[in-house]
Amino acid sequence: MMNPPNPTLTTPASGSNQPVAYPCASAQSPAQAETHPVFNVSSELGDINLFDSDPALQEAVQREGAGWAIDDLKQFGALTGSRDYLYLGYLANKYKPELDTHDRFGHRVDVVHYHPAYHELMRSAFANQLHSLPWVNPVAGAHVARAAKFLIQAQVEAGHICPTTMTFACIPSIRSTPKLVALWQDKILSPQYDPRNLPASQKNGLTVGMGMTEKQGGSDVRANTTVAVPVHQRGPGEGYEITGHKWFLSAPMCDLFLVLAKTDAGVSCFLVPRWRPDGSKNSLQVIRLKNKMGNVSNASSEVEFRGAFGWLVGEESRGVATIIEMVSLTRFDCMTGSTAIMRMGLIQAIHHCQQRAVFGKKLIAQPLMQNLLADLALEYEGALALTMRMARALDQKQLDTDNQHENLLARIATAIGKYWICKRTPNHSYEAMEVIGGSGVMEDSPMPRLYREAVINTIWEGSGNVQCLDVLRAMTKTPATVEAYFKEVSLALGKHALFDQAVERLQAEFQNRENLEFRARNVVDQLAVVLQAALLLQHAPDYVATAFCLSRLGQQGMHNYGSLPVEVDATAIIQRTYQV
């Protein structure tokens, strides 16, 4: 069929009402309507197995005692790496939670509404026991298996991880009070996620939140002004009325909250329900949701307690000691979550470079890009090794309370890892974003969300300075923690000259106690990198461990990604990192 002739431009006679005829788009052929072919672009990452594609994670799970969980992790990795599952993370953050303080008739309700994607992620997390595995199956490797699942799930979306973490971490604190264990533990550990707005007694499963921070105190919880008085009698498990505020209360739709308040005896810990035991609404009033730069899917709130009911957890005046068990576990999850952010940013970058060509060859084959990708991969390897080693320490701490080495190591190295891994992640995420280029900063890409989450994790559960001071506190109050640390790193002595020299320098740091607080960041930096190097020298392939030592313990690299020395086998590191 022939194309119709192009209309000609005609000029009407003077005074004519006839329209002027112009060339029209309908006259163009389909080929002419296309401005350019689309080629040399990346594609959406999806339908991969987030466990099978990660050799370092597979090795760590086996090494640290959870080989029995491999099959389950393979299935979970396939689920979480599917395109549909990854898309849930996008939806949960595109549509922010919304707060209704009152219903349309004027009744106080304090209800937060979430997108269905958020609830689906929560349902999946609880069904896969991210909130409960070591408590319901207390066997060797349970914390390791749970950490691996957590790391995989956190690659998909970080907001729902917050209430999942708090529900997991509350158990040691609640177990200090048998009355509360009898009331709530079974439902807290239930694999059923139940988002219905009902009293806890009527639900199939419960979530637990936490409220410590107040406006005037921040990390200094002893400056809190919230007060609690007994309803009838004092003591663990008894009812108190709480009046005050919390500047941050994450996940306000949780069913129970661990909260700090002052009694006559001092700062104490309370378990505050959203509904009173008689089924009426508790006077825990949500003032507003925080407008956060990241962690958007997770509602964080300011609340006021107007005579709210709560049960005392542990002894009066022992609130910080009671809740610190929960805080320690949430800090562990922060380092695990940051490791997950590194992983997702890294595989997004590698996936992009495998498809995009520049200057005549794929980005993955460009020497400078290889340097950067390999360096990002090394950072992930170090973070993963430290995280999974701490998971094994948690297993030992739970199952063998007499194992002093593991208990002491967990005490100091969790704070080290939380500080260092969370601190290294924002720049790691930025570099991965830069690999992708202009498309990486677009909000329909996962990269901006990863970057914002990375910044959040460095602050939550104690900023960098708080973690460094906690390391110093452990060293001062329990000097045996330092002995445990050096015992752990000594396992790698003799494997690399730069490592041996770094250990010597670190030991010299501890000989000088002057201005230790002023030097705390530098000291904890060294503690972190030396411990990561020790683990990699023992367990990673030689080309990984050697590259880590050359770049992190030598004079080149460490604080500037993409500055690996020429001796490094970048190709081997990249190929190991992401296998599909």
Side-chain angles (χ1 to χ4, degrees), residues 380-413:
Y380 170 67
E381 288 256 10
L384 179 67
L386 179 51
T387 295
M388 299 305 283
R389 176 63 183 90
M390 287 304 97
R392 173 156 65 92
L394 291 176
D395 274 321
Q396 296 296 323
K397 181 180 178 182
Q398 180 181 349
L399 298 175
D400 183 6
T401 55
D402 294 329
N403 191 327
Q404 288 301 306
H405 175 73
E406 298 294 332
N407 291 343
L408 292 166
L409 186 64
R411 170 67 185 91
I412 193 170

Side-chain angles (χ1 to χ4, degrees), residues 123 126-129 131-132 186-193:
R123 185 205 62 75
F126 275 59
N128 283 281
Q129 299 182 310
H131 70 303
S132 65
D186 286 349
K187 286 192 175 183
I188 292 172
L189 298 179
S190 168
Q192 297 186 58
Y193 168 64

Side-chain angles (χ1 to χ4, degrees), residues 207-480:
T207 53
V208 181
M210 176 171 57
M212 296 193 296
T213 306
E214 296 185 6
K215 299 181 183 75
Q216 72 288 341
S219 297
D220 183 8
V221 296
R222 295 193 183 279
N224 286 2
T225 60
T226 298
V227 298
V229 296
V231 176
H232 298 297
Q233 61 186 28
R234 297 180 180 275
E238 297 297 330
Y240 288 67
E241 282 195 349
I242 302 168
T243 303
H245 79 282
K246 294 297 169 187
W247 189 232
F248 282 97
L249 185 106
S250 284
M253 289 305 288
C254 285
D255 302 288
L256 303 163
F257 302 90
L258 281 175
V259 169
L260 293 181
K262 286 183 176 178
T263 68
D264 292 341
V267 177
S268 307
C269 183
F270 298 89
L271 187 65
V272 179
R274 275 201 308 117
W275 298 80
R276 288 177 174 268
D278 64 6
S280 62
K281 185 184 177 303
N282 205 0
S283 48
L284 185 161
Q285 298 185 354
V286 181
I287 306 305
R288 64 171 176 169
L289 298 185
K290 296 289 193 178
N291 189 18
K292 298 172 295 182
M293 67 172 284
N295 213 246
V296 169
S297 71
N298 171 41
S300 296
S301 64
E302 297 171 30
V303 300
E304 291 180 350
F305 304 110
R306 301 178 179 270
F309 176 86
W311 296 278
L312 177 65
V313 185
E315 300 288 341
E316 284 192 30
S317 82
R318 296 283 298 163
V320 175
T322 300
I323 207 170
I324 201 67
E325 291 290 332
M326 181 178 189
V327 173
S328 178
L329 288 172
T330 56
R331 286 176 175 174
F332 171 76
D333 276 6
C334 279
M335 60 191 276
T336 310
S338 287
T339 304
I341 292 170
M342 285 189 190
R343 176 64 187 174
M344 179 51 71
L346 177 60
I347 63 176
Q348 290 280 353
I350 293 175
H351 176 75
H352 173 82
C353 290
Q354 287 172 335
Q355 299 175 77
R356 179 117 171 137
V358 178
F359 306 130
K361 58 182 176 182
K362 292 289 179 67
L363 276 171
I364 199 75
Q366 302 278 357
L368 188 54
M369 184 60 77
Q370 289 179 337
N371 191 315
L372 176 58
L373 292 177
D375 209 358
L376 296 177
L378 288 176
E379 195 67 35
Y380 170 67
E381 288 256 10
L384 179 67
L386 179 51
T387 295
M388 299 305 283
R389 176 63 183 90
M390 287 304 97
R392 173 156 65 92
L394 291 176
D395 274 321
Q396 296 296 323
K397 181 180 178 182
Q398 180 181 349
L399 298 175
D400 183 6
T401 55
D402 294 329
N403 191 327
Q404 288 301 306
H405 175 73
E406 298 294 332
N407 291 343
L408 292 166
L409 186 64
R411 170 67 185 91
I412 193 170
T414 300
I416 292 170
K418 198 281 182 188
Y419 162 75
W420 183 250
I421 294 172
C422 294
K423 187 66 65 181
R424 294 285 283 175
T425 304
N427 200 42
H428 190 281
S429 296
Y430 160 70
E431 290 286 1
M433 184 188 299
E434 189 177 281
V435 167
I436 296 174
S439 297
V441 301
M442 302 303 164
E443 290 293 346
D444 52 2
S445 159
M447 306 309 287
R449 174 158 53 93
L450 292 174
Y451 181 68
R452 290 192 294 266
E453 295 295 353
V455 176
I456 295 286
N457 260 1
T458 63
I459 297 171
W460 276 7
E461 307 308 330
S463 63
N465 281 358
V466 170
Q467 300 307 312
C468 289
L469 292 174
D470 192 38
V471 172
L472 296 189
R473 190 178 302 111
M475 291 164 45
T476 303
K477 295 183 67 174
T478 314

Side-chain angles (χ1 to χ4, degrees), residues 95-166:
Y95 302 99
K96 295 183 178 182
E98 296 182 349
L99 169 66
D100 284 336
T101 58
H102 297 76
D103 67 14
R104 65 193 185 97
F105 303 105
H107 302 115
R108 187 92 200 189
V109 291
D110 297 297
V111 171
V112 178
H113 304 279
Y114 299 87
H115 188 273
Y118 172 89
H119 291 303
E120 178 57 24
L121 288 166
M122 285 290 289
R123 185 205 62 75
S124 178
F126 275 59
N128 283 281
Q129 299 182 310
L130 271 70
H131 70 303
S132 65
L133 181 57
W135 315 131
V136 298
N137 187 26
V139 299
H143 278 281
V144 174
R146 184 258 172 190
K149 276 192 170 183
F150 185 95
L151 190 145
I152 292 170
Q153 179 87 357
Q155 292 178 52
V156 178
E157 203 281 319
H160 78 288
I161 288 296
C162 178
T164 304
T165 282
M166 293 187 294

